[in-house]
Amino acid sequence: MRAFTTLTALVAPLDRANIDTDAIIPKQFLKSIRRAGFGPYLFDEWRYLDHGEPDMDCTNRPLNQDFVLNKAQYKGAQILLTRENFGCGSSREHAPWALEDYGFRAIIAPSFADIFFNNCFKNGILPIVLPAEIVDRLFNEMADGYRLTIDLQAQTITTPSGQAIGFNVDENRRYRLLNGLDDIALSLQHADKIKAYEAERAKRAPWLFKDA
Amino acid sequence: MAGKTLYDKLWDDHVVHTEDDGSCLIYIDRQLLHEVTSPQAFEGLRLSGRHPWRIARNLAVADHNIPTTDRAKGIADPVSRLQVETLESNCKEFGITEFHMSDIRQGIVHVVGPEQGATLPGMTVVCGDSHTSTHGASAALAFGIGTSEVEHALATQCLVQKKAKNMLIKVNGKAGPGVTAKDIVLAVIGNIGTAGGTGYTIEFGGEAIRALSMEGRMTICNMAIEAGARAGLIACDDTTIDYYQGRPYAPKGDDWNMAVRYWQKLHSDSDAKFDKVIEFNAAEIKPQVSWGTSPEMVLPVDASVPDPAQEADPVKRQGIERALQYMGLQAGQKITDIKLDKVFIGSCTNSRIEDLRAAAAVIKGRKKAESVKQVLIVPGSGLIKQQAEAEGLDKIFTEANFEWREPGCSMCLAMNADRLEAGEHCASTSNRNFEGRQGYGGRTHLVSPAMAAAAAIAGHFVNVAEQGV
Ligand code: SF4
């Protein structure tokens, strides 16, 4: 996994609450057995005027010019600013895969749905929770070329005017993301504990251990 | 010391290791796998040269992409076919049991798990699917995970988790006639909102919940995720234990007796502390219909579509405006005036035998309205289909000009051929009414099986409580 340390990047505002993972990446793209290549289909139903299908070449598809990511000033944005309960609905990890493949590295919102929030950390995306008033202020401050600097080590966001806003990430998650660590390898360091747990549990609940 | 909640008990029983920041390595007793969220997890195992930690704790079934028409013809869509075949070859390679499309036990993963006794009280259950919360109906700690976590659970039989907070939703009193588990859970979501349960595990309790069958309890926990909670729970009681007796994967003999003694403790202690308690009165709940594009946009069937002008909060007002526009509805329009193009009875929310019986009871001897183009009845598993046919329910449906299909997810998310066309209104017993969920431009109204069946006959929504069903 790609580590996340600091990022200074353009911000794209998506001013809508309760954006669900079906909207982030519609189900027809879930048929892929690969992990990459979802970026062109991110927000497919909002981004294009036609109906997208897997493996479609998106270069000549009609764009919905009203959709924020299609506006010239947000090309190359790596930070998404949005509203509460972002990523609700289906557990599909294709949602962070699509956001990451498109180029987003951080998402700022007043709240996130739990599964999506979790999935972001597994894919090098930093979801940042800020109080609704601050998110509101950032929306109001947005101007052409609006960039933010995010420092995960220091847990701060710096606005163009130089103002620093603090945020909080669980220690364990922050450590893994800062170092781009593989969760499975870390958990397997506890293999002995897992085996000891199994031995002890098998006495309490033998019916769960009758198989191989 | 204060007593423990059911969630506290299940959590404490599965902690393998605790980190300094409070995150824990939690042991997973059962993982269910399906074709959509597993291929990249198996690929990850292969790339890193890892193996499943305990092969037999995994059980796989393809459901999302499976056709619900004649199975002998195979899967026409090559992309869907590849995904289903990939699950098959991955399970073969790693030695994991899979119920094939031709197996009578095949069905929707969340229907199959309890039906087989593969998910049991007291277990931790995960699946790369948010509706894994369904299994919490049996007092199991069950939650949906992403594909990276599927790989993690395969490789380590554990997951890294932080404990959620405890919420109790108490539904007191008795539900009136025509008011089902689906109506109760929709009313709860309408009240607390789709983020109301975020960060919590919700235990559902109270007289109206206790009175439900296991099928009804699964409907409730299924939609806990629609209230933002990763897991829903219902305490174990005689209804739970009776349900599991004799299931193929359930313990037998002395193990059964020992398991039952443990399961009987799976309830919150009377002095347990919840971080939040919300109470409802079942007698006040009416049959529900969702009108918008989020499950919280739901109202009693005798209400009218809301007027955005009445909403003070600008973000909410904009949400209502967008939803009305997408759904093609007018502010103030009566819900019973909404005309339906299609009806779908199925999904992991409402495709169990009791759901099919409820739908059949409403329509017996009547016919689908001419204006309704299609009514799909999709049982949750091959075994449910068999049971329904033994009871003659299939005849009642086909005589009403409903289509009786093979089991699978079907029009719940329209990954197979079953879907809505743009602009079509559908009365659906599924769990999500997001834009495009049942097909590009499709308009979903979430309802109970009885409400869906009655709407199929009338061509518009009707109040089944008034019909005295
Ligand atoms: S029936 Fe619908 S909600 Fe349930 S698992 Fe299938 S697609 Fe998901």
Side-chain angles (χ1 to χ4, degrees):
Chain A
M1 188 183 77
R2 189 151 53 139
F4 187 110
T5 49
T6 57
L7 172 74
T8 298
L10 194 64
V11 182
L14 194 50
D15 195 355
R16 190 167 169 176
N18 296 313
I19 293 179
D20 59 78
T21 54
D22 279 73
I24 298 172
I25 182 87
K27 69 220 152 215
Q28 62 270 34
F29 303 106
L30 272 51
K31 293 183 185 183
S32 169
I33 57 171
R34 295 188 310 266
R35 205 176 178 121
F38 293 101
Y41 312 111
L42 176 71
F43 296 117
D44 199 87
E45 291 185 4
W46 295 345
R47 206 160 133 202
Y48 303 101
L49 294 171
D50 63 345
H51 177 63
E53 284 297 332
D55 295 328
M56 206 168 186
D57 175 5
C58 295
T59 44
N60 290 319
R61 291 177 61 193
L63 293 177
N64 171 9
Q65 298 297 351
D66 293 337
F67 184 58
V68 57
L69 296 186
N70 287 331
K71 299 195 171 156
Q73 70 260 42
Y74 301 120
K75 281 276 165 307
Q78 290 179 276
I79 300 170
L80 188 66
L81 178 67
T82 185
R83 299 287 185 182
E84 61 259 28
N85 203 24
F86 187 81
C88 59
S90 146
S91 62
R92 61 190 67 166
E93 199 161 318
H94 310 67
W97 293 341
L99 286 158
E100 203 259 356
D101 196 56
Y102 180 90
F104 285 115
R105 303 293 323 280
I107 307 169
I108 301 172
S111 61
F112 293 87
D114 284 340
I115 302 179
F116 175 83
F117 188 73
N118 221 12
N119 283 340
C120 282
F121 287 99
K122 317 273 178 202
N123 292 283
I125 298 177
L126 174 61
I128 300 176
V129 180
L130 290 182
E133 316 83 72
I134 296 185
V135 170
D136 226 25
R137 209 176 70 215
L138 293 179
F139 266 106
N140 292 332
E141 255 179 51
M142 288 276 317
D144 274 0
Y146 187 81
R147 297 164 83 83
L148 292 172
T149 296
I150 299 171
D151 183 338
L152 178 57
Q153 181 66 51
Q155 301 187 94
T156 54
I157 299 174
T158 311
T159 67
S161 61
Q163 196 208 9
I165 301 165
F167 63 90
N168 236 312
V169 178
D170 278 355
E171 196 39 50
N172 197 10
R173 283 188 167 132
R174 191 162 69 102
Y175 172 73
R176 289 173 189 225
L177 195 52
L178 278 169
N179 297 290
L181 291 176
D182 170 359
D183 279 9
I184 297 178
L186 285 173
S187 292
L188 284 173
Q189 289 176 357
H190 298 295
D192 288 346
K193 283 197 166 175
I194 302 173
K195 286 187 190 135
Y197 172 87
E198 286 178 325
E200 182 268 330
R201 182 97 187 287
K203 291 190 200 128
R204 283 188 285 138
W207 64 92
L208 296 176
F209 292 83
K210 290 283 154 89
D211 47 61
Chain B
M1 206 177 85
K4 286 179 169 186
T5 65
L6 171 55
Y7 175 52
D8 295 338
K9 292 181 186 179
L10 292 168
W11 179 270
D12 291 351
D13 265 356
H14 289 89
V15 174
V16 172
H17 171 74
T18 308
E19 296 282 347
D20 293 342
D21 74 340
S23 59
C24 294
L25 201 58
I26 290 295
Y27 194 76
I28 302 303
D29 294 317
R30 169 67 71 194
Q31 172 152 248
L32 300 168
L33 298 156
H34 66 86
E35 79 276 25
V36 180
T37 54
S38 68
Q40 297 87 351
F42 283 113
E43 187 63 18
L45 283 188
R46 264 191 298 272
L47 289 173
S48 54
R50 292 184 177 123
H51 299 284
W53 182 275
R54 266 179 85 198
I55 292 165
R57 301 322 291 172
N58 296 282
L59 179 66
V61 60
D63 52 7
H64 286 64
N65 279 284
I66 295 282
T68 56
T69 47
D70 188 1
R71 290 285 163 84
K73 294 200 185 93
I75 305 174
D77 175 0
V79 196
S80 288
R81 191 170 59 232
L82 177 65
Q83 203 168 50
V84 172
E85 286 169 358
T86 303
L87 178 67
E88 217 174 292
S89 62
N90 281 328
C91 287
K92 272 212 188 86
E93 180 183 339
F94 290 100
I96 292 168
T97 303
E98 189 212 349
F99 296 161
H100 286 257
M101 206 161 90
S102 55
D103 192 317
I104 185 102
R105 297 170 297 177
Q106 184 270 337
I108 304 170
V109 65
H110 307 307
V111 174
V112 170
E115 186 174 79
Q116 290 298 317
T119 55
L120 294 168
M123 275 185 169
T124 39
V125 178
V126 296
C127 175
D129 189 285
S130 58
H131 292 102
T132 309
S133 60
T134 312
H135 309 267
S138 333
L141 178 57
F143 51 90
I145 56 178
T147 300
S148 295
E149 289 178 307
V150 172
E151 184 183 339
H152 195 286
L154 277 166
T156 68
Q157 207 58 44
C158 291
L159 285 176
V160 180
Q161 296 287 309
K162 249 199 159 156
K163 198 176 172 197
K165 288 180 284 184
N166 278 292
M167 183 188 289
L168 175 65
I169 289 187
K170 223 174 150 196
V171 189
N172 302 314
K174 288 190 174 59
V179 176
T180 66
K182 183 66 163 288
D183 303 298
I184 294 175
V185 74
L186 283 173
V188 167
I189 296 165
N191 182 286
I192 73 170
T194 50
T198 304
Y200 290 93
T201 290
I202 301 180
E203 179 176 342
F204 295 92
E207 187 188 350
I209 301 291
R210 296 256 66 84
L212 294 172
S213 65
M214 280 309 291
E215 283 86 349
R217 294 178 187 187
M218 289 184 217
T219 302
I220 299 270
C221 289
N222 175 275
M223 293 197 71
I225 184 68
E226 258 51 70
R230 272 179 97 172
L233 284 172
I234 293 178
C236 182
D237 59 12
D238 290 347
T239 306
T240 324
I241 293 167
D242 290 348
Y243 175 88
Y244 280 105
Q245 179 107 49
R247 303 258 161 201
Y249 285 76
K252 312 267 176 322
D254 287 347
D255 279 346
W256 170 261
N257 296 329
M258 191 175 174
V260 167
R261 279 198 298 278
Y262 170 58
W263 295 347
Q264 281 165 339
K265 296 180 196 143
L266 297 176
H267 54 78
S268 292
D269 295 331
S270 53
D271 57 344
K273 284 264 175 302
F274 287 86
D275 300 291
K276 197 166 186 178
V277 179
I278 307 177
E279 302 205 34
F280 291 84
N281 180 355
E284 285 169 6
I285 297 174
K286 294 178 181 171
Q288 304 282 309
V289 179
S290 78
W291 55 269
T293 52
S294 160
E296 69 185 26
M297 294 173 164
V298 66
L299 284 168
V301 58
D302 56 5
S304 299
V305 174
D307 182 354
Q310 310 283 323
E311 176 59 58
D313 176 350
V315 177
K316 280 197 184 138
R317 181 164 58 236
Q318 202 192 13
I320 296 174
E321 280 164 1
R322 287 191 74 118
L324 290 184
Q325 191 193 14
Y326 179 85
M327 294 297 289
L329 296 174
Q330 304 301 321
Q333 183 178 351
K334 281 166 80 180
I335 298 238
T336 45
D337 286 345
I338 299 173
K339 304 234 173 342
L340 282 326
D341 301 290
K342 286 183 179 161
V343 174
F344 170 63
I345 299 179
S347 90
C348 56
T349 317
N350 282 125
S351 63
R352 284 167 278 265
I353 190 71
E354 183 182 284
D355 301 315
L356 302 183
R357 286 180 191 143
V362 174
I363 62 147
K364 195 165 185 178
R366 295 152 83 189
K367 295 226 181 303
K368 152 181 105 58
E370 278 299 320
S371 57
V372 175
K373 292 178 226 168
Q374 186 180 44
V375 183
L376 289 185
I377 314 283
V378 186
S381 73
L383 287 164
I384 291 170
K385 180 167 187 261
Q386 192 179 47
Q387 172 72 27
E389 287 173 356
E391 295 178 20
L393 304 183
D394 58 321
K395 293 276 167 333
I396 298 175
F397 293 131
T398 49
E399 276 162 18
N401 298 327
F402 292 9
E403 295 175 35
W404 179 240
R405 295 293 188 92
E406 298 292 330
C409 293
S410 179
M411 213 201 275
C412 173
L413 94 167
M415 268 185 89
N416 69 356
D418 310 333
R419 61 186 66 180
L420 298 181
E421 299 300 325
E424 285 182 339
H425 285 270
C426 178
S428 176
T429 66
S430 54
N431 43 48
R432 287 195 174 132
N433 51 349
F434 298 151
E435 288 184 15
R437 171 82 180 182
Q438 294 192 290
Y440 182 67
R443 295 162 171 170
T444 303
H445 299 278
L446 304 174
V447 287
S448 75
M451 283 288 289
I457 301 298
H460 56 85
F461 287 113
V462 287
N463 186 350
V464 291
E466 277 176 3
Q467 286 196 335
V469 181

